Amino acid sequence: MSFPALTLIRLVLFTRFRRNSKKYTFDKCVKAQVPCEPDADVREFADTVTGLVADACAGRNTALFTASVAKSMAQHERTSIFLPLVKELGKRKKHFSISYGFFGITDSALVNLISEKNVPVARICANMGPLLTELIDFDELNAILEKGCMLPHFLLLQLEARSSPKTLGTLCMMDLANPCYLQPTEPSYHISASSLTKSVAAFKKVAISLSTPGYIGTIPFHESLLTTIIAPFLGVNGHATVMLNLDVSC
């Protein structure tokens, strides 16, 4: 996967310590409120959804990562962003055998939210297939997303084509919640046992390694549970999109 060149759209966010202000650079900024009438932003998100699902159906590893900056989103708001992907997949479901898993994840643990049991560390790897369950009722995916989870979490789907060409793709919908984006040395830095703050820092190192021209060395996927799991979505056969919810009023 190649990371696209960033545009000149920038947002400066301030913590209560002004010297810790951070500058973020984005490929695209869109309105938070979806209007009654379709506009370019809505169509662009629809195209993103269609592209991710289509690529997964074609045998690629695709993912949508979401997270919040500043104010945390309500639980139902965090998962509702994934409903269009499930709806799009529903149009194609008859052509695939689907396996699924719903997991809560922190810096130190992975929880199977279907069985409500911790996943042993020895079983956590880039190939999550053995931890998935055959999907019988497609409506169950909507029920899972409507229920949500307090922890950072992800819904992982494996799509196996029923007919030729035989393909095996993966679609991951992951909510990273509201991690602390500051460096550990900064005064406002905070971390909790139920966060992905350390993992997001490892994610950043992976992204920098992948996007640095001429980078030589090992990509540090092994530095966290999160980056171990998402490695396939950032590799050659990967297609990943990151969306941030920004609330600058707090």
Side-chain angles (χ1 to χ4, degrees):
M1 170 182 150
S2 60
F3 282 71
L6 298 176
T7 68
L8 296 180
I9 300 173
R10 293 187 175 89
L11 174 69
V12 179
L13 301 178
F14 294 90
T15 69
R16 61 191 181 92
F17 297 94
R18 189 173 179 86
R19 63 180 177 275
N20 289 332
S21 62
K22 305 290 290 184
K23 180 179 289 186
Y24 297 83
T25 305
F26 301 93
D27 297 313
K28 175 74 175 178
C29 290
V30 299
K31 297 184 294 294
Q33 300 297 325
V34 177
C36 296
E37 296 297 328
D39 67 3
D41 291 340
V42 176
R43 290 194 297 272
E44 183 163 343
F45 179 65
D47 291 343
T48 297
V49 167
T50 301
L52 288 170
V53 173
D55 279 355
C57 291
R60 296 187 67 185
N61 300 310
T62 68
L64 176 60
F65 301 108
T66 63
S68 297
V69 175
K71 185 178 180 180
S72 297
M73 298 174 68
Q75 189 169 317
H76 71 279
E77 292 175 323
R78 288 165 50 191
T79 53
S80 63
I81 193 70
F82 300 131
L83 291 173
L85 282 87
V86 172
K87 182 178 180 180
E88 180 66 25
L89 180 60
K91 301 175 184 178
R92 310 163 189 249
K93 63 182 179 181
K94 66 180 181 180
H95 302 295
F96 297 90
S97 297
I98 303 175
S99 299
Y100 76 107
F102 187 46
F103 303 91
I105 185 170
T106 69
D107 283 330
S108 58
L110 181 68
V111 183
N112 187 324
L113 296 173
I114 305 299
S115 64
E116 298 184 347
K117 295 181 180 180
N118 280 16
V119 178
V121 174
R123 298 191 64 189
I124 301 174
C125 62
N127 178 18
M128 295 284 285
L131 299 177
L132 304 183
T133 302
E134 182 182 3
L135 181 67
I136 305 300
D137 184 358
F138 194 82
D139 289 338
E140 188 170 347
L141 299 182
N142 288 313
I144 286 173
L145 292 179
E146 289 172 3
K147 181 179 179 181
C149 176
M150 294 296 291
L151 293 172
H153 56 272
F154 62 98
L155 176 62
L156 187 65
L157 306 176
Q158 193 170 75
L159 316 174
E160 183 175 1
R162 297 183 186 275
S163 58
S164 297
K166 289 287 187 177
T167 58
L168 183 64
T170 308
L171 176 63
C172 178
M173 292 162 268
M174 180 175 287
D175 171 59
L176 303 174
N178 189 20
C180 180
Y181 299 91
L182 301 176
Q183 295 299 318
T185 55
E186 298 183 86
S188 299
Y189 179 82
H190 66 274
I191 189 170
S192 68
S194 61
S195 80
L196 280 174
T197 294
K198 292 182 179 179
S199 299
V200 168
F203 194 165
K204 179 180 178 181
K205 290 177 65 175
V206 167
I208 291 173
S209 299
L210 290 171
S211 59
T212 300
Y215 176 83
I216 298 175
T218 302
I219 305 298
F221 289 118
H222 65 283
E223 290 197 4
S224 73
L225 298 181
L226 172 68
T227 48
T228 296
I229 292 167
I230 67 174
F233 306 101
L234 304 179
V236 174
N237 196 37
H239 174 189
T241 296
V242 180
M243 295 185 66
L244 294 179
N245 173 66
L246 305 173
D247 189 328
V248 297
S249 63
C250 53

